[in-house]
Structures are given as C-alpha cells and as structure tokens.
Amino acid sequence: MELDLRLVRYFVAVADELHFGRAAARLYVSQPALSKQIRKLEDQLGETLLVRDSRHVTLTARGQHFLEHARRLLALADTMSQPTRQEGVSIAHVFELSTSRLVADAFSRAEPDIELREHAMDSITQLNALMQGRLDVAILRVTPRMSIAHPSGWRHRLLRLEPLVLVGTDAGDGASTASFHERPLSVFADPPDSGSYNAHGQYLTALEQRVGLTMRWLGTPGAFSHCVAHVRRAPTSHRYLEFLSYAEKYVDVGLPMFWPTEIQPYYPWSLAWRSDDVAGTTTRLIEAAVGLADELGWLTLGGGAPHTPAWMPDDEPAWRDVAR
C-alpha cells in the first residue's frame, strides 16, 4: 500500500486541532471534504484513527501510534522537498507591525551586502514556511500548539514583549489610563469561526476570558490606513485594542492612547529558525535581532499603568523566559 502524503497531512492537522472545522480552515478545504479524506485514509489502513461525535474528536490507540510515524514521515518529506538555498536571507512581516521591520532595517544597516528577501505572513504561516525552507528566520508568536505540530526541527528565542493598549477618538478627560470595561471594545482580528483564525486570535480569546468581556472582532484590515479610518468613523464611545507600535501611529495622527488599568497584556514575539540551519547569513540576522532587542529594551516589562500586573496566557511558552 502506498500512502498519500496529502491524506497524511490532513490527518496530522485534525490530530493537532482535535476539531474538524479548525483543521479544515488551516488546510483551506471544506469540512465535509476533510472528513471524506480522513475516512479514505482509514479505509486504506483498515483501522479507525479518530473517534468523532457531535462535540469531540479523539485519537484511538492506533491513531496515536500512526500520528507519531506520520510526523516523522512528513518531516522527512519536507526536508527532501526543500529548494536549493538561494543567496541572501529571507524573513517575513506580520502586516505593518514594527518588530520585524525594525529587525530587517537593523540587519540591512549592519550587512548591506547581503540580500534580504521579505514576505508578509501571519505567525502560523511563517512557521510552516520556515519548516519547508521558504523562510530562514521567522518573527512570530510561538504557541503551545505549534510545538505539538512541530516537535523538532526548529529553535526559537523570545525577542520582544510588546504591550497591548487602548485607542479611540475620545481623550477621556485627558487620562492616560482606561479600563477594559469602560467602553465597548473592538479588535482588528479574525474571529474563531473564521477561516483565518490564527495565533493572534488565540491570544485574544484567552484575553477575553481573563478580563471577562466579549470584544467585537472586526477582521484583519491589513493596513494601518484602514484601521485609523475605521476608528475615526466609529462613535466616540468605542475603543480599540492595539499593539503599542500601532497605537503610537494613532497618536501621531492626533488620536489618544490609554494604558489598561486591570492588567497589562504583553504580546510575545519570538525569533525562530531551523535547527539544522548553519548558514552564516541566518546567524548574522539572529545576532542583529538580539542586539536590537537589547538596545531597545524589548524584553523589559514596564511602561503601563503603575502597579498593573503583566499578563500573557497561562500556557504561553514565553513565560519561561520572563521573571514574573
């Protein structure tokens, strides 16, 4: 029997998510089509790999055993299919957020003779591209689910703890702080039931649970100009949750920014690279990023409202690198 690698990838995605809807969104296929392909794989093997009901998906003992071999098989297939390495080094940006842009600029100043290839990808897409050899360095949020999906073959280190703050059009009597619960709160992100729910969305879901509110999810506009236009059109009673580097752009165009009073959320950006990548260009890019983080104090908790406790999800891997 010859295994279809596409079916194996589908199975691993469902095993990672334990949810057919999320796995289908991750694979960009419909949920019925995914279910059909999993059944086809089970028919080929002659054994049940997954137990499904209306609310849960679990692995059978055979499914757990198959998953271990499937991960190794896909890792080997990805390694064999990696393109011949080009000169230079490749990196990706998450929309117009500043972290990767500042790293790219610092590297280009330090190494003007090395070609820097730049792309736009969210965190999950970056990791997949990294493992497939399409990126040399990723700047992303590392999640527990990523470590499960890719248990080996890559390394990462914390690069920046970026505060999340509130913005709006009403200056709030000149106050520099505001409560999460003071006004209706919106966020530019794709919600859980969308096909593009990602690492950013997972973080926001955990934040909603922590502060006990439901934010209005507006989707990802893709450009700051669209965000600021939306904020200016909104009622003055509304506020928006933003990355500090974006919020500073709002301040530059005359809109107020507020530090949250209940907790201070920090979004952890990490550097990631393949563990077998020994190229000097990759090493120099990592060194430039680490040097920039030290220079700008990116790993220092602070800047928020006085005595406001720092917050990240409880299972956030970045906590290992932060003194609480």
Side-chain angles (χ1 to χ4, degrees):
M1 178 187 66
E2 292 187 6
L3 279 178
D4 185 336
L5 285 180
R6 181 174 58 91
L7 300 184
V8 176
R9 289 189 191 278
Y10 284 3
F11 166 75
V12 170
V14 177
D16 288 343
E17 301 290 345
L18 292 178
H19 190 283
F20 272 83
R22 290 195 297 267
R26 169 174 155 183
L27 295 164
Y28 300 103
V29 299
S30 69
Q31 187 169 331
L34 177 59
S35 297
K36 181 178 179 180
Q37 295 304 311
I38 295 299
R39 285 195 297 271
K40 181 178 178 181
L41 177 62
E42 290 176 322
D43 289 343
Q44 287 181 358
L45 296 172
E47 295 186 82
T48 301
L49 302 177
L50 298 165
V51 177
R52 333 136 164 86
D53 59 32
S54 60
R55 298 181 61 185
H56 301 97
V57 177
T58 57
L59 289 166
T60 64
R62 171 59 171 140
Q64 187 62 56
H65 182 70
F66 184 79
L67 178 61
E68 296 172 7
H69 293 286
R71 292 196 195 283
R72 289 197 289 270
L73 175 62
L74 294 179
L76 178 60
D78 287 343
T79 299
M80 294 177 66
S81 63
Q82 285 180 7
T84 302
R85 189 184 184 102
Q86 296 176 280
E87 294 296 326
V89 63
S90 59
I91 191 174
H93 302 284
V94 179
F95 302 110
E96 295 179 346
L97 297 173
S98 69
T99 302
S100 57
R101 166 53 50 207
L102 292 171
V103 168
D105 292 346
F107 175 75
S108 294
R109 288 193 300 270
E111 305 286 351
D113 296 329
I114 298 177
E115 179 187 3
L116 181 64
R117 296 183 298 276
E118 302 175 68
H119 311 271
M121 304 175 185
D122 67 23
S123 289
I124 295 173
T125 306
Q126 280 197 53
L127 180 56
N128 291 333
L130 180 73
M131 301 305 291
Q132 294 165 10
R134 295 185 287 115
L135 280 183
D136 297 312
V137 174
I139 297 180
L140 72 175
R141 177 191 169 219
V142 175
T143 69
R145 192 173 296 175
M146 290 177 180
S147 298
I148 294 171
H150 300 282
S152 61
W154 62 300
R155 300 174 61 192
H156 58 85
R157 64 174 292 168
L158 188 61
L159 176 68
R160 183 181 188 182
L161 295 167
E162 182 170 7
L164 295 181
V165 298
L166 306 174
V167 298
T169 55
D170 183 353
D173 299 324
S176 61
T177 61
S179 167
F180 282 112
H181 301 277
E182 186 176 298
R183 309 278 178 88
L185 187 60
S186 301
V187 64
F188 293 106
D190 296 314
D193 58 355
S194 70
S196 48
Y197 184 61
N198 55 25
H200 180 216
Q202 293 163 14
Y203 177 99
L204 294 173
T205 296
L207 179 59
E208 282 186 322
Q209 295 169 353
R210 170 60 181 82
V211 297
L213 58 78
T214 299
M215 294 182 284
R216 189 166 59 119
W217 296 57
L218 302 174
T220 303
F224 173 71
S225 59
H226 300 317
C227 294
V228 73
H230 186 106
V231 172
R232 281 177 162 159
R233 289 194 301 266
T236 57
S237 60
H238 284 235
R239 289 207 174 117
Y240 297 77
L241 184 68
E242 275 291 9
F243 291 93
L244 178 62
S245 54
Y246 245 39
E248 289 169 342
K249 294 183 180 182
Y250 287 93
V251 172
D252 288 342
V253 297
L255 299 179
M257 179 189 91
F258 309 90
W259 296 96
T261 54
E262 292 86 356
I263 57 172
Q264 179 54 65
Y266 287 89
Y267 197 86
W269 297 106
S270 292
L271 287 167
W273 63 96
R274 291 184 301 280
S275 53
D276 62 353
D277 188 348
V278 295
T281 51
T282 299
T283 299
R284 291 199 283 277
L285 178 52
I286 294 169
E287 289 173 347
V290 171
L292 182 68
D294 289 341
E295 177 186 340
L296 298 179
W298 276 354
L299 294 178
T300 302
L301 297 176
H307 313 299
T308 304
W311 179 87
M312 291 186 288
D314 289 340
D315 63 350
E316 189 67 50
W319 276 125
R320 292 193 297 265
D321 302 310
V322 178
R324 296 199 192 214

